[in-house]
Amino acid sequence: ALAVLYALLYHGGSGLIEGGRFGALISVYALGSFVLHNHVNLRIGSRLTLFQAIAYTVEWLAVGIVIGLVYRATVR
């Protein structure tokens, strides 16, 4: 599903830059829907919430970059 979203949002250009931009967008969604949800509903501490936010951001940036590089390679 994310690859289809990436294809719809693709503006052309570097796969690395576009993928990073897409990964940042997805990480903002993950922070709002998962990390804050866990903090409020599971009542985890601020430290664990911070580490979870960092992990989700790094994870989704990496996934976005990989999607961008793979998509860019197939468009050429």
Side-chain angles (χ1 to χ4, degrees):
L2 288 177
V4 172
L5 282 174
Y6 179 81
L8 293 173
L9 296 173
Y10 182 68
H11 293 5
S14 170
L16 183 70
I17 301 297
E18 289 289 322
R21 187 176 68 87
F22 180 70
L25 181 68
I26 297 301
S27 71
V28 169
Y29 172 76
L31 291 176
S33 61
F34 299 118
V35 175
L36 290 178
H37 173 270
N38 289 344
H39 180 70
V40 172
N41 289 338
L42 300 178
R43 297 172 44 175
I44 60 175
S46 298
R47 185 170 183 248
L48 183 56
T49 301
L50 176 66
F51 288 146
Q52 195 176 45
I54 292 168
Y56 271 93
T57 301
V58 170
E59 173 187 335
W60 286 113
L61 280 174
V63 169
I65 289 171
V66 168
I67 290 173
L69 292 174
V70 169
Y71 184 79
R72 182 69 180 144
T74 59
V75 170
R76 290 183 183 180

